Amino acid sequence: MRLMRLKSLQIKGFKSFANDTILNFSEDVIGVVGPNGSGKSNIVDAIRWVLGEQKSKELRLESMSDVIFNGTKTKKEAATATVALTFDNNKNLLPTEYQTVTISRTLFRSGESEYRLNNVACRLKDINSLFLDTGIGSNSYAIIALGMVDDILADKENSRRRMFEQAAGVSKYKIRKKETLNKLKSATEDLNRIDDLLFEIEGNLKSLEKQAKRTQKYLDLKNEYKELSIQHAIFSIQHLKQKYKGISDQLVSQQDTYRTNDALLYKQQAHLEKEKKANADKETALSDHQKKLNDIVSQIRHRENEKGLLTQKLGFKKQNKDQLIKFIADNDRDLQQTHIDSQNLQQRIESENIQLDVLKTALLVSKNLYDTIKTEYSTAKLSFDIRQKEKQELERQVYDLEKNVAIQRNSVENNEREIYRISEHLQSKQKDFATISLQLESLNNQMAGKDKELTSLLESENSRKEKIASLELRRDKHQDELNKINRNIDSKQNEYDLLKSMIENFEGFPESIKFLNDHWKKDLVLLSDILDVQENYKAPVELLLEPFLTYFVVSDLKEAVLGITLLKNSQKGKANFFLLDKMPVKKSSVEHKSGMTRATDVVKTSDKYLPLLEHLLGEVYIFEGDIDQYQAEDENITVISAAGTFLKQGYTISGGSVGLFEGKKIGRKQNLEKLALFLEENHQAKQEISTLLETTKKELSQLKSSDFNSTIDKIKKEIQSIEQDRIRNQHQIQTFNLLKSESDTKTEAAKIQIKDFNSRIAMSDQQIKILRVRIAELEKPVEGKDNNIDLLSEKMSTASEQYNNDNISLIRHQNLVSNFIKDKEFKDLKISELTLKTESDRQKLMSEDREKE
């Protein structure tokens, strides 16, 4: 007894099963118990769904995406719904070598669905084919869902019939029949499409022939045009040469005429220049006369203007005369008054000069007394001032020297502090320099290690990419080969199934043939089944042997009589037979015809059928050309065209177009064997390529998963960080070296300045000591001279005060006299001016009288 057990059911994310749930069916009878709404029915729905159920209505859903767990308040929604069904195949009920078979179905929220068979991606068709003979399916009665019992009892939509057919194993044949009919329908549609394409191609061929003829005509016309163009160019060149010669002669004649006209032109131009010169002289004389005329006109206009001006001037003179008479009268009055004022001032000046002489005498006495006292004081003061001046000068020198010493000592202290500060700063930087040097060395080592690691990773990544590219090319190549093999297998499998069905059912053959095959012998041989014809010669051979293809080939007459008797008794028609024992043995002719191939050379069969083959095709030749190329030479032979378009036998000939299915009846069993061998070889090749493809995909997946880019990017960032730290440390080291050089320079310069300042301070201290000794000597008083200076100073102050008072009185009186003198001089000047002005006005008045006269 053949058994297949359901081993386990795994559900995750399907309907109410949010978590991964596994149901093990280890016993003969398993019950799932639970309250309403706990998900018992969902287990049955999961089994139907994983077996390929496509109708959401059958799963009690509005849409297929509702099978994915939608989440609750405490659980988030699932991304996929997955159901896996595992069977125990230890009795090999399923057509596979695996002892355990697991089918799974996964639906993604994007709408994509995936089927897997033993964790290998497959099609739903593959799963249906696997369980076709087991009675298990999404719509089979091995799974009884809610309502299905009622449907069976009520025989709703022939439910009872479907259940019986499934139980009897009839449904699988119906499915195969439906698939076969669909394939035949598809093949018929393809054939119709091929006919349409052939019709279109024939139409296109006619159009292309017309285009080819037009193209050939165009090329011929183009060549003719080229020849005519060359001839036209030759004629044109000859004509142009003749025309050029005539134009050259004409050009010479025209050049002679041009030279004659040019000489005449020169003569005319010379005459014209002469005339122009004469006209220029005349124009010059005319210009001179015009200039003289303009001068005369200008003089006339000038005289007229002068006349107008004189008239105006006369009026002005008259007005001036009246004014001058008035001015003269006023000036005479002013002149008289001024004479009186001048006489009064002269008298005052004379009286003041007498008083001035008295003041001068008093001032002279005061001045003499002051000078005498001042001389005595200056003599005494001179000695005292010389000592004081020397003392002040020495004190100033001491002050300057002490000031310079203080400045220089301050400079020395500043330089010493600067040296100390530089030393301290350099020492603090020296510690940082040591630390930075160690860090730089460490960074260099790290950089070398990271560069080495990066180089290694880049080489590994490049190698990985090259391997990935190579594996992708290999994968694509294997995939293309696998697709090509799958297409060939599908195509040839359909052809094999169709041909096998036609051979088994004797489709296209009379009913008598089918009857004898079913009720007489199963190993009956037809002529069409014993001939193996080369593919490109099937159509012509079938054209010749078409009347004999349905003949049975039997050993003797007795065997043929049995078949005929059976047909006669059963009223199933008639059949034809070739009797091998009556078939004469003919020697194969070796005669060859030019341009033809013997038909027996392209047809193969077993040795016992060779006499029959020689009988049918011994005098038959295949012509490689078309009917319009054939010329009959021997009327005793049969000729068929290689394309199957005509057949000539004796004095008859037939032909026409070749049908789409011509050549398909002959050698069907040989074709079936070839197709079976082809399918077997391609299945083996498919298995090998599939294995190579899976191996390549695994290698490619492993290589893609081992990506070094993130590590490379990380190392590059680390290298960049290390490089920045190196640059920063190098900059700090350069800065320290520069600082050290500058500090050494400053320290050396400060030491030189300190030495120079110390030497200057020593010299200044020595000079200060000498100056202080001299100042002490000058500070000692001189006996008998200091008291006399004070007395003379008081006398000089009294005399100076008297002298100043007398001098002030004299100056005041002198200023008064000077003012009187200035007033008198002003009056005298005014008298002189009035006199001159009066005289001038009188002269003007006399001149105007004369001009008026």
Side-chain angles (χ1 to χ4, degrees):
M1 183 178 180
R2 303 177 68 188
L3 296 174
M4 180 183 69
R5 290 184 61 89
L6 176 61
K7 189 175 181 180
S8 65
L9 174 66
Q10 183 180 3
I11 308 172
K12 183 180 180 181
F14 180 86
K15 284 194 172 183
S16 59
F17 294 93
N19 299 323
D20 193 1
T21 304
I22 300 176
L23 298 177
N24 294 309
F25 303 96
S26 57
E27 301 296 334
D28 292 337
V29 178
I30 301 294
V32 180
V33 181
N36 291 337
S38 60
K40 300 185 298 298
S41 300
N42 289 342
I43 295 175
V44 179
D45 292 340
I47 296 174
R48 292 172 65 91
W49 185 71
V50 74
L51 290 172
E53 181 61 60
Q54 301 297 319
K55 298 179 181 177
S56 58
K57 180 181 177 183
E58 297 294 335
L59 301 175
R60 300 171 292 119
L61 299 171
E62 292 184 1
S63 63
M64 189 58 71
S65 62
D66 291 339
V67 301
I68 304 176
F69 178 69
N70 283 327
T72 63
K73 292 182 179 179
T74 58
K75 293 183 180 180
K76 64 178 182 179
E77 62 181 15
T80 61
T82 303
V83 178
L85 202 58
T86 303
F87 293 94
D88 191 356
N89 190 36
N90 53 5
K91 299 298 182 179
N92 293 326
L93 181 60
L94 295 176
T96 178
E97 67 273 14
Y98 296 104
Q99 297 299 316
T100 301
V101 176
T102 301
I103 61 171
S104 65
R105 179 180 181 182
T106 302
L107 179 65
F108 300 90
R109 285 202 176 273
S110 60
E112 298 178 358
S113 182
E114 181 182 51
Y115 292 92
R116 285 185 172 271
L117 181 60
N118 282 357
N119 205 26
V120 177
C122 65
R123 302 172 297 173
L124 176 59
K125 182 179 178 182
D126 299 329
I127 295 175
N128 291 334
S129 299
L130 182 67
F131 290 97
L132 187 61
D133 293 335
T134 63
I136 296 176
S138 62
N139 58 350
S140 71
Y141 287 92
I143 304 169
I144 304 298
L146 293 174
M148 290 184 65
V149 176
D150 294 335
D151 292 343
I152 293 171
L153 293 175
D155 196 16
K156 184 179 179 180
E157 296 179 356
N158 292 325
S159 300
R160 217 176 295 165
R161 178 186 179 89
R162 289 202 304 272
M163 183 181 69
F164 292 148
E165 286 178 350
Q166 287 183 7
V170 176
S171 59
K172 64 180 181 180
Y173 297 108
K174 281 195 170 185
I175 293 173
R176 289 176 179 173
K177 180 181 177 181
K178 184 179 179 181
E179 291 178 352
T180 304
L181 290 175
N182 289 334
K183 289 180 180 179
L184 287 173
K185 184 179 179 182
S186 177
T188 304
E189 291 176 354
D190 292 341
L191 291 173
N192 292 334
R193 179 57 183 161
I194 290 171
D195 290 337
D196 295 339
L197 291 174
L198 289 172
F199 179 76
E200 292 178 3
I201 290 170
E202 288 177 357
N204 291 335
L205 285 174
K206 291 179 181 179
S207 176
L208 291 172
E209 287 177 357
K210 291 180 181 179
Q211 292 179 9
K213 290 179 180 179
R214 290 177 183 173
T215 303
Q216 186 61 42
K217 186 175 180 182
Y218 166 76
L219 294 175
D220 296 338
L221 291 173
K222 186 176 181 181
N223 293 331
E224 185 179 355
Y225 171 76
K226 184 177 180 181
E227 293 177 358
L228 293 174
S229 297
I230 293 171
Q231 293 179 3
H232 178 265
I234 293 171
F235 293 147
S236 298
I237 291 170
Q238 292 177 355
H239 175 70
L240 290 173
K241 284 183 178 179
Q242 294 175 0
K243 189 174 180 180
Y244 173 75
K245 185 177 180 182
I247 292 173
S248 298
D249 297 338
Q250 186 178 359
L251 179 62
V252 171
S253 175
Q254 292 294 333
Q255 286 178 347
D256 294 339
T257 305
Y258 171 76
R259 293 190 188 94
T260 303
N261 292 334
D262 195 25
L264 182 62
L265 177 63
Y266 284 146
K267 291 180 181 179
Q268 295 294 332
Q269 286 179 347
H271 179 68
L272 180 61
E273 290 295 330
K274 185 177 180 181
E275 292 294 331
K276 284 183 178 180
K277 187 175 181 181
N279 290 333
D281 295 337
K282 292 179 180 179
E283 288 177 356
T284 303
L286 179 62
S287 177
D288 294 338
H289 289 299
Q290 185 68 34
K291 187 176 181 180
K292 290 180 181 179
L293 178 61
N294 291 336
D295 292 340
I296 293 170
V297 172
S298 177
Q299 290 177 4
I300 292 171
R301 290 176 181 172
H302 181 66
R303 295 299 181 185
E304 289 177 352
N305 292 331
E306 286 183 352
K307 180 180 177 182
L309 291 173
L310 290 173
T311 302
Q312 292 178 0
K313 191 174 181 180
L314 181 62
F316 293 148
K317 293 291 185 183
K318 186 176 180 181
Q319 293 177 1
N320 290 335
K321 180 180 178 182
D322 295 336
Q323 291 178 356
L324 289 173
I325 292 171
K326 184 179 179 181
F327 288 157
I328 290 170
D330 294 336
N331 290 334
D332 287 339
R333 287 192 298 273
D334 292 339
L335 183 61
Q336 185 178 0
Q337 182 63 35
T338 304
H339 276 293
I340 294 169
D341 294 337
S342 179
Q343 290 173 1
N344 293 332
L345 287 172
Q346 182 65 34
Q347 292 175 0
R348 182 68 182 274
I349 289 169
E350 290 175 354
S351 64
E352 292 297 330
N353 283 331
I354 295 170
Q355 183 64 29
L356 182 61
D357 292 335
V358 174
L359 292 174
K360 285 180 178 180
T361 302
L363 179 62
L364 183 59
V365 172
S366 298
K367 185 176 184 303
N368 291 331
L369 178 62
Y370 172 73
D371 289 339
T372 302
I373 296 171
K374 184 178 180 181
T375 301
E376 293 177 357
Y377 175 78
S378 297
T379 303
K381 185 77 168 58
L382 180 61
S383 177
F384 179 78
D385 288 339
I386 289 171
R387 290 170 62 84
Q388 289 292 78
K389 186 174 182 182
E390 184 180 0
K391 178 185 174 183
Q392 291 175 357
E393 180 65 25
L394 292 175
E395 288 177 347
R396 185 186 63 77
Q397 290 179 5
V398 170
Y399 173 79
D400 291 337
L401 288 172
E402 289 177 347
K403 180 181 178 182
N404 289 333
V405 167
I407 292 172
Q408 289 168 358
R409 284 177 178 169
N410 187 40
S411 298
V412 169
E413 292 176 357
N414 289 336
N415 285 325
E416 288 176 349
R417 284 196 296 272
E418 180 68 16
I419 291 172
Y420 177 79
R421 185 186 62 80
I422 291 171
S423 177
E424 288 293 323
H425 184 64
L426 200 60
Q427 287 178 1
S428 64
K429 292 294 183 180
Q430 185 72 35
K431 296 178 181 178
D432 297 337
F433 173 76
T435 304
I436 292 170
S437 298
L438 293 175
Q439 290 178 356
L440 182 60
E441 185 178 359
S442 176
L443 289 172
N444 289 331
N445 295 331
Q446 292 179 17
M447 178 65 77
K450 293 296 181 181
D451 286 338
K452 186 176 180 181
E453 185 178 356
L454 179 62
T455 303
S456 176
L457 284 173
L458 289 174
E459 290 175 355
S460 300
E461 180 63 14
N462 292 332
S463 176
R464 187 183 71 87
K465 288 181 178 179
E466 291 174 358
K467 288 180 180 179
I468 288 174
S470 175
L471 287 174
E472 286 179 345
L473 290 175
R474 193 191 308 171
R475 179 200 62 191
D476 295 338
K477 181 180 178 182
H478 290 334
Q479 189 65 52
D480 292 338
E481 290 176 356
L482 185 60
N483 293 337
K484 184 178 179 182
I485 290 174
N486 285 330
R487 289 194 296 271
N488 291 335
I489 288 176
D490 291 339
S491 174
K492 295 300 181 181
Q493 185 67 49
N494 293 333
E495 186 178 351
Y496 176 85
D497 294 340
L498 179 61
L499 187 58
K500 184 179 180 181
S501 175
M502 292 175 66
I503 292 174
E504 291 176 352
N505 298 324
F506 285 91
E507 293 184 12
F509 287 87
E511 186 179 356
S512 59
I513 304 297
K514 298 179 182 179
F515 178 79
L516 288 176
N517 183 73
D518 294 337
H519 297 84
W520 185 27
K521 288 184 177 182
K522 293 295 183 180
D523 56 349
L524 288 175
V525 177
L526 293 174
L527 178 64
S528 62
D529 296 334
I530 64 172
L531 301 179
D532 185 9
V533 185
Q534 294 182 13
E535 189 66 30
N536 53 337
Y537 292 110
K538 283 186 176 182
V541 172
E542 185 177 309
L543 175 64
L544 174 66
L545 299 179
E546 186 175 6
F548 310 108
L549 293 178
T550 58
Y551 279 36
F552 285 105
V553 180
V554 296
S555 300
D556 51 24
L557 179 61
K558 182 179 179 180
E559 189 176 356
V561 170
L562 289 175
I564 292 171
T565 302
L566 184 60
L567 288 173
K568 182 181 69 172
N569 295 332
S570 301
Q571 296 294 316
K572 292 297 183 180
K574 298 178 181 180
N576 301 307
F577 300 87
F578 282 116
L579 306 177
L580 291 179
D581 62 338
K582 301 297 183 180
M583 195 65 61
V585 178
K586 294 182 180 180
K587 291 184 178 180
S588 179
S589 175
V590 296
E591 183 179 359
H592 294 279
K593 304 293 183 180
S594 177
M596 297 186 186
T597 304
R598 294 186 76 251
T600 55
D601 294 340
V602 299
V603 181
K604 296 179 180 179
T605 187
S606 59
D607 293 340
K608 70 176 183 177
Y609 301 124
L610 287 177
L612 176 59
L613 180 64
E614 188 65 29
H615 172 72
L616 295 173
L617 302 177
E619 297 298 328
V620 179
Y621 292 86
I622 300 174
F623 181 64
E624 299 294 337
D626 206 349
I627 189 169
D628 54 354
Q629 301 172 346
Y630 174 70
Q631 294 180 356
E633 296 179 356
D634 188 353
E635 302 297 339
N636 296 322
I637 63 173
T638 299
V639 179
I640 53 178
S641 69
T645 55
F646 73 89
L647 167 64
K648 181 182 179 300
Q649 290 178 311
Y651 298 100
T652 64
I653 187 170
S654 62
S657 63
V658 180
L660 186 62
F661 292 99
E662 290 190 18
K664 302 296 183 181
K665 294 180 181 179
I666 195 167
R668 291 192 295 181
K669 285 189 176 181
Q670 289 80 0
N671 288 341
L672 191 64
E673 294 174 357
K674 292 179 180 177
L675 288 173
L677 180 62
F678 176 86
L679 288 173
E680 183 180 0
E681 293 174 351
N682 276 269
H683 277 297
Q684 293 177 356
K686 177 182 177 182
Q687 187 64 30
E688 294 174 356
I689 292 175
S690 297
T691 303
L692 292 174
L693 182 60
E694 288 299 323
T695 304
T696 304
K697 285 183 177 179
K698 288 180 181 178
E699 293 178 2
L700 189 59
S701 177
Q702 291 175 357
L703 284 174
K704 285 185 177 180
S705 63
S706 60
D707 188 3
F708 296 103
N709 286 325
S710 59
T711 308
I712 289 172
D713 293 338
K714 181 180 178 182
I715 291 176
K716 284 183 177 179
K717 289 180 180 178
E718 292 176 356
I719 289 175
Q720 187 176 5
S721 176
I722 293 171
E723 183 64 22
Q724 291 175 355
D725 293 337
R726 285 179 66 244
I727 293 172
R728 183 167 57 252
N729 289 340
Q730 289 175 353
H731 177 69
Q732 290 177 353
I733 289 173
Q734 292 176 359
T735 304
F736 174 79
N737 291 331
L738 182 61
L739 176 64
K740 184 178 179 182
S741 176
E742 291 177 352
S743 299
D744 293 338
T745 304
K746 289 181 179 178
T747 302
E748 190 65 26
K751 289 179 178 179
I752 293 172
Q753 288 181 357
I754 289 171
K755 185 178 179 181
D756 182 56
F757 286 141
N758 287 331
S759 62
R760 289 183 184 179
I761 288 169
M763 292 175 63
S764 297
D765 289 339
Q766 188 67 27
Q767 291 177 0
I768 289 171
K769 289 178 181 179
I770 296 171
L771 291 174
R772 286 190 183 280
V773 171
R774 177 60 180 162
I775 290 171
E777 293 175 355
L778 292 174
E779 286 178 348
K780 294 178 181 181
V782 179
E783 296 180 357
K785 291 186 177 181
D786 293 336
N787 295 329
N788 191 22
I789 289 173
D790 295 335
L791 182 61
L792 289 174
S793 177
E794 291 177 0
K795 290 181 179 180
M796 188 180 69
S797 297
T798 303
S800 175
E801 183 178 359
Q802 183 63 41
Y803 172 71
N804 289 333
N805 291 331
D806 292 341
N807 191 25
I808 289 170
S809 298
L810 178 63
I811 291 171
R812 285 178 181 174
H813 207 73
Q814 284 178 347
N815 289 335
L816 181 62
V817 173
S818 176
N819 289 331
F820 287 151
I821 291 172
K822 287 181 179 179
D823 289 339
K824 185 178 182 305
E825 289 177 354
F826 175 74
K827 295 296 182 181
D828 293 338
L829 180 61
K830 187 175 181 181
I831 290 169
S832 172
E833 288 176 356
L834 288 173
T835 303
L836 292 174
K837 188 175 181 180
T838 302
E839 187 64 29
S840 175
D841 291 339
R842 286 176 179 171
Q843 289 180 358
K844 286 181 180 179
L845 183 60
M846 292 174 64
S847 174
E848 287 177 0
D849 290 339
R850 285 196 298 272
E851 287 178 1
K852 185 176 180 181
E853 291 175 357

